[in-house]
Amino acid sequence: MCTESFYEFVQTFWEVIIPEKPIWNWHIKYLCDELQTLAGYIVRREAKPYDLIINIPPGTTKSSLATVMFPAWIWTQDPTIRVITNSYSAALAIEHATKSRDIILSDKYRRLFPHILIRRDKAAKSSYENTSGGARYATSTGGMITGIHGHLIINDDPLNPGQAASEAERKTANEHTKTLASRKV
């Protein structure tokens, strides 16, 4: 079921990265279904009909679903997928990538998906690759991204609320977002 449904995957692996019991509100399944639909296009290497923008209040699982769990799940669909994730803070981007890696390295994931293995020589917190050629790269707004390309690009909170008040910070985030868009495979 975890391979067939991203929502089932989320329910199965939630406890690996989040100790609190979730409240399975309707929006979680809705977001999982939207992400799974787009994953089909990405895996088939077809043009997506739209880019997904998720605007929901803080603390309602957006990052956990889209930035942490989705990259780990999409490898179950195609382990050759390369993912780039971005956040306003390098520390937060690395935290998200590390949680994804924690899922991939968990006993449960290894039992269900034994063919997906992290390369030992490319297993950093901020970027790692699997033995099938898939990769996960984490960067931050204004951080290095040139030279890296991904099948999936997730731009999760390119600004924090404090930065949004600054014209210069907004300009930096907009320019970085344009650069990210140019990094598509």
Side-chain angles (χ1 to χ4, degrees), residues 38 40 43 54 65 87 89 106 117 123 143 175:
L38 289 174
V43 168
I54 304 170
L65 294 176
S87 186
S89 152
S106 73
L117 301 168
E175 290 303 315

Side-chain angles (χ1 to χ4, degrees), residues 3 13 72 75-76 79 103-119 130-132:
T3 303
F13 287 92
W75 277 0
T76 72
I103 291 170
I104 295 162
L105 294 176
S106 73
D107 290 339
K108 189 181 298 187
Y109 192 96
R110 292 177 58 161
R111 189 172 57 255
L112 293 172
F113 313 107
H115 61 288
I116 301 171
L117 301 168
I118 301 282
R119 287 179 47 173
N130 66 38
T131 56
S132 298

Side-chain angles (χ1 to χ4, degrees), residues 47-113:
K48 297 183 317 253
Y50 56 90
D51 287 329
L52 183 61
I53 298 173
I54 304 170
N55 288 318
I56 56 177
T60 53
T61 70
K62 172 185 53 76
S63 296
S64 295
L65 294 176
T67 310
V68 175
M69 295 183 140
F70 189 56
W73 179 77
I74 204 164
W75 277 0
T76 72
Q77 306 303 294
D78 181 349
T80 68
I81 296 289
R82 294 189 310 276
V83 180
I84 299 171
T85 60
N86 182 73
S87 186
Y88 67 87
S89 152
L92 184 58
I94 291 169
E95 169 86 11
H96 291 153
T98 301
K99 284 183 176 182
S100 266
R101 190 180 66 168
D102 289 346
I103 291 170
I104 295 162
L105 294 176
S106 73
D107 290 339
K108 189 181 298 187
Y109 192 96
R110 292 177 58 161
R111 189 172 57 255
L112 293 172
F113 313 107

